[in-house]
Amino acid sequence: MSTTVAIVGGGWAGLACAVDCVRRGLQPTVFEAAPQVGGRARTVRMDGLPLDNGQHILIGAYSETLALMRAVGADPDALLQRQPLALEFDDGFSLRAHSSGRLGLAIAFLRACGMSWRDRLAALRLMRALRRTPAADETVAALLARTAQTDGAIKHLWAPLCIAALNTSIEQSSARVFARVLTDSLMGPPGAADLLLPRADLGSLLPEPALFWLRAHGASVNTGTRVRAVRQQADGFAIEVPDGAPCFDRVVFACSPHQLPALLGDLPGMQDIARQIAALAYEAITTVYAAFDARTRLPAAMTGFVAGEPHWVFDSGQLGGPPGLLAGVVSAANGTREETERTVLAALRSQFPALSDPLWVRTISERRATFRCTPGRTAIEQPRDSRIAIAGDYLVADYPATLEAAVRSGLAAASRLAGASCKTQNSSGK
Ligand SMILES: Cc1cc2nc3c(=O)[nH]c(=O)nc-3n(C[C@H](O)[C@H](O)[C@H](O)COP(=O)(O)OP(=O)(O)OC[C@H]3O[C@@H](n4cnc5c(N)ncnc54)[C@H](O)[C@@H]3O)c2cc1C
C-alpha cells in the first residue's frame, strides 16, 4: 500500500505538491475549501463572467512553474506571451531589455527613451552595488539613497519594479529581497527577465490542467471541502472535514498563511511555527476590469502609470482576451474597493481621453494578496515531525510571494514527505 498524504489547500503550492507526490509514488488527496482550485491565482465567475482574481505576470526565471505546467499538459508557449522585459509608461518612458546580464542591461539603459544620462549612470550604479548582498535590515528606500539614485531612475525603474515584484512600497520593502529578484531576473541566464503574460485565464495555466492530471492519475481532489481540524493519532493524522475524519499517513499544510495558525494549534510542537506565521502582515492587490468598445486598443499590452494608481494597465485584447477589456492593477492597495475603482477609471479617462464610457466594470480586491515583504523576515522552518510539511509562497526568507515560490515550496514538501516515507519503510523492513 502506498503512503497516503492529505494536502490541505489546492492553491499552486498544494497542486504542485500533489502532482509531485504522484510522481514519487505517494497517494495524495487534496482538500480545497473553495469551489475551485487555484487559491490566490484562480479564475472566478462574476455575474457569469469568467475573470481572474487578479492580473498575474510570470517571468522567464519561473523555471519550476513552467516545468510543472508542461508536466500536467499545459503548454507555456501557447498559454503565455513571452516578450523581452519592456517597461512602457504613460509619460512616454520606454525601456526594453532584449537580453539579461550586465551588458544587456547597459544597452537597455542606453537605448531607453525618457532617461537622462544621470538616470542611466545611477541605474548602472545600483546594479553594480547589488554584487554585494544588502544588509538584512535595509529597506529599498535606504538602498536607493545609498546608491544615489535619481528621481527619474526611481520613478521609472525601481519603484515600479519593487511594487510589481514585492507588492510593498519602497519605504517598507526589504532591499535584500529586491536585490535577489533583480539579480535572478535581470542578471540571470538568457530569458530569465522575459515577461510571460498570460494569454488565457489563470485557471487554464495550471489549476485546471493539474486537477485533470491528478484525477487521471488516481489522486483525489475534493473542492468545496474545508478542513476544520487536523488531529494527530497513533498511526497518522485525522483530517476533520464536514462529512467525516479520514486518516492519512502524512499531512501537508498548503493553505494561505493567515489561515494556517488556527489549524496548526492542535498539533504537538507546532506552536512556534504558528506564532511565526501569525506575525506576518499582508498587502492587498485590487484589479479593476473595465470593458470598453471592442475597437479600443492601448499603445502597449502593459502600460505603467508614473503617478501611481493604477500601477499598470493591461489590454486583454492584445493578450488573447476579449478586445476592449482593460485591467487596471493597484498593488499594495490602501483604499476601499469603490475608491480604487473610481481612481482607476479616472486615470484611464485622463490618460486615454478617446475612451468611451465603459460597458461594464468589475473590481476584485484581494485583501491578503501577498505578505508584506519587509526587511528582517526569517525563513519558516519545517516542523520537526518529518511526516508533516508546510507549503506556501511565504516560506522562503529572501523571496517575495510569487507563483514560483508557491510551486517550489510544494515540490519541496513532496520531496520531504517522500524522504520520510523511505525512512519509515526502511526501518520497518517494508
Ligand atoms: C491579485 C493578485 C495578484 C498577484 N500577482 C502575481 C504575479 O503577477 N506574479 C506572481 O508570481 N504572483 C502573483 N501573486 C501571488 C500569487 O498568486 C501567490 O503567491 C500564489 O498564488 C500563492 O499560492 P499558495 O498555494 O502558496 O497559496 P494560496 O493560493 O493562498 O492557496 C491556499 C489554498 O488553501 C485553501 N485553504 C485555506 N484554508 C483551508 C482549509 N482549512 N481547508 C481547505 N482548504 C483551505 C485556500 O482556499 C486556497 O485555495 C498575486 C496574488 C494576487 C492575489
Side-chain angles (χ1 to χ4, degrees):
M1 278 265 293
S2 55
T3 304
T4 57
V5 181
I7 300 175
V8 187
W12 289 46
L15 293 170
C17 180
V19 169
D20 209 32
C21 280
V22 170
R23 294 191 293 212
R24 291 171 180 277
L26 307 174
Q27 201 185 322
T29 296
V30 178
F31 296 99
E32 168 53 54
Q36 75 287 308
V37 286
R40 276 173 281 155
R42 66 187 184 282
T43 304
V44 291
R45 289 206 158 261
M46 284 186 92
D47 307 328
L49 291 166
L51 291 172
D52 289 339
N53 68 313
Q55 175 72 45
H56 278 60
I57 305 175
L58 290 76
I59 58 168
Y62 284 15
S63 54
E64 294 297 347
T65 304
L66 299 176
L68 184 68
M69 286 174 68
R70 286 197 185 89
V72 298
D75 178 5
D77 300 331
L79 293 166
L80 300 167
Q81 179 167 306
R82 184 181 272 267
Q83 61 180 60
L85 173 67
L87 300 175
E88 312 274 352
F89 277 87
D90 56 346
D91 64 353
F93 175 90
S94 157
L95 175 141
R96 279 170 184 264
H98 288 279
S99 56
S100 48
R102 258 170 241 293
L103 184 62
L105 266 186
I107 294 171
F109 293 151
L110 278 177
R111 289 191 177 156
C113 274
M115 246 183 143
S116 69
W117 281 103
R118 282 188 61 238
D119 297 340
R120 294 180 223 267
L121 289 173
L124 288 170
R125 198 159 50 240
L126 183 118
M127 295 313 295
R128 207 171 41 242
L130 296 187
R131 286 183 187 154
R132 289 186 57 191
T133 306
D137 61 352
E138 189 173 35
T139 62
V140 170
L143 167 72
L144 300 179
R146 171 162 68 83
T147 54
Q149 294 303 301
T150 55
D151 288 347
I154 294 174
K155 180 170 72 171
H156 291 121
L157 297 175
W158 312 129
L161 287 176
C162 179
I163 199 100
L166 276 60
N167 192 29
T168 307
S169 68
I170 54 173
E171 290 75 22
Q172 290 186 293
S173 283
S174 155
R176 182 171 276 192
V177 176
F178 188 49
R180 173 86 190 268
V181 170
L182 292 181
T183 42
D184 283 5
S185 53
L186 297 179
M187 308 301 285
D194 285 356
L195 296 177
L196 308 181
L197 303 175
R199 292 185 56 79
D201 59 65
L202 282 173
S204 347
L205 295 191
L206 181 79
E208 282 150 25
L211 178 68
F212 187 77
W213 187 96
L214 285 165
R215 287 184 172 153
H217 285 77
S220 172
V221 181
N222 306 293
T223 51
T225 309
R226 177 173 294 281
V227 173
R228 290 177 178 153
V230 176
R231 278 180 281 105
Q232 190 159 346
Q233 297 188 326
D235 53 351
F237 301 90
I239 307 294
E240 217 173 277
V241 286
D243 61 355
C247 195
F248 293 83
D249 301 320
R250 310 275 180 265
V251 59
V252 179
F253 291 94
C255 32
S256 331
H258 73 278
Q259 292 155 319
L260 190 51
L263 277 184
L264 288 183
D266 292 344
L267 290 168
M270 302 293 278
Q271 282 67 25
D272 279 353
I273 294 178
R275 252 195 305 277
Q276 215 183 335
I277 296 173
L280 290 172
Y282 297 90
E283 293 286 357
I285 298 181
T286 299
T287 308
V288 179
Y289 291 99
F292 294 91
D293 183 294
R295 284 165 302 181
T296 304
R297 190 180 163 90
L298 298 191
M302 174 181 157
T303 308
F305 276 53
V306 274
E309 296 187 358
H311 292 100
W312 303 96
V313 173
F314 293 81
D315 181 349
S316 301
Q318 297 185 47
L319 295 167
L325 178 61
L326 306 185
V329 177
V330 180
S331 301
N334 288 322
T336 64
R337 206 162 59 86
E338 293 72 20
E339 285 164 358
T340 307
E341 184 174 296
R342 274 198 299 275
T343 310
V344 169
L345 291 176
L348 283 174
R349 277 200 201 97
S350 117
Q351 182 58 32
F352 307 109
L355 280 180
S356 55
D357 280 340
L359 305 171
W360 54 260
V361 180
R362 301 283 184 283
T363 298
I364 304 180
S365 258
E366 289 274 359
R367 277 195 313 124
R368 294 189 190 90
T370 65
F371 60 81
R372 187 174 298 148
C373 200
T374 47
R377 247 175 10 98
T378 49
I380 292 168
E381 300 294 334
Q382 290 290 335
R384 241 180 258 135
D385 185 338
S386 60
R387 298 168 308 158
I388 307 175
I390 301 177
D393 61 354
Y394 58 95
L395 293 177
V396 184
D398 286 355
Y399 228 77
T402 60
L403 298 171
E404 179 73 0
V407 166
R408 282 177 187 247
S409 75
L411 300 176
S415 157
R416 171 180 163 88
L417 295 189
S421 173
C422 286
K423 274 185 218 148
T424 317
Q425 284 177 10
N426 290 343
S427 60
S428 65
K430 277 194 216 169

